[in-house]
Amino acid sequence: MRTNTVLKSDGMRILAEHLGIVEAERFITLLRREPFNYTEWQREHFKDLTLDKFLSDTQEYREELHVQ
């Protein structure tokens, strides 16, 4: 398991790589500004996701990463 410092660093790096540094900072600001319940968000956005679909999507994503 990663330390909190490493996790925050990795998370920021990933956000910056995918969103750009400005949008990553904006995203973090939005999370801090608004009340956010991750559990409710997760239930709302992934309620219809089956385990088989999740595993399939994960495998596809891993394969894409190795190709690039």
Side-chain angles (χ1 to χ4, degrees):
M1 182 181 290
R2 297 178 232 193
T3 65
N4 289 347
T5 301
V6 171
L7 182 59
K8 288 188 286 186
S9 178
D10 288 350
M12 190 61 198
R13 179 183 49 76
I14 291 166
L15 285 172
E17 286 174 4
H18 290 275
L19 299 175
I21 192 67
V22 173
E23 294 294 320
E25 290 287 349
R26 184 171 161 229
F27 173 75
I28 291 170
T29 300
L30 289 170
L31 287 180
R32 294 184 64 166
R33 191 179 308 160
E34 300 174 12
F36 181 74
N37 185 324
Y38 176 76
T39 302
E40 287 180 17
W41 177 86
Q42 181 182 15
R43 286 180 182 151
E44 179 182 328
H45 286 84
F46 299 108
K47 65 183 173 194
D48 297 325
L49 183 64
T50 65
L51 179 57
D52 288 338
K53 175 69 172 145
F54 174 78
L55 293 174
S56 171
D57 289 351
T58 303
Q59 183 62 34
E60 286 178 24
Y61 180 72
R62 289 183 67 192
E63 290 170 3
E64 288 175 11
L65 288 178
H66 289 106
V67 171
Q68 298 176 357

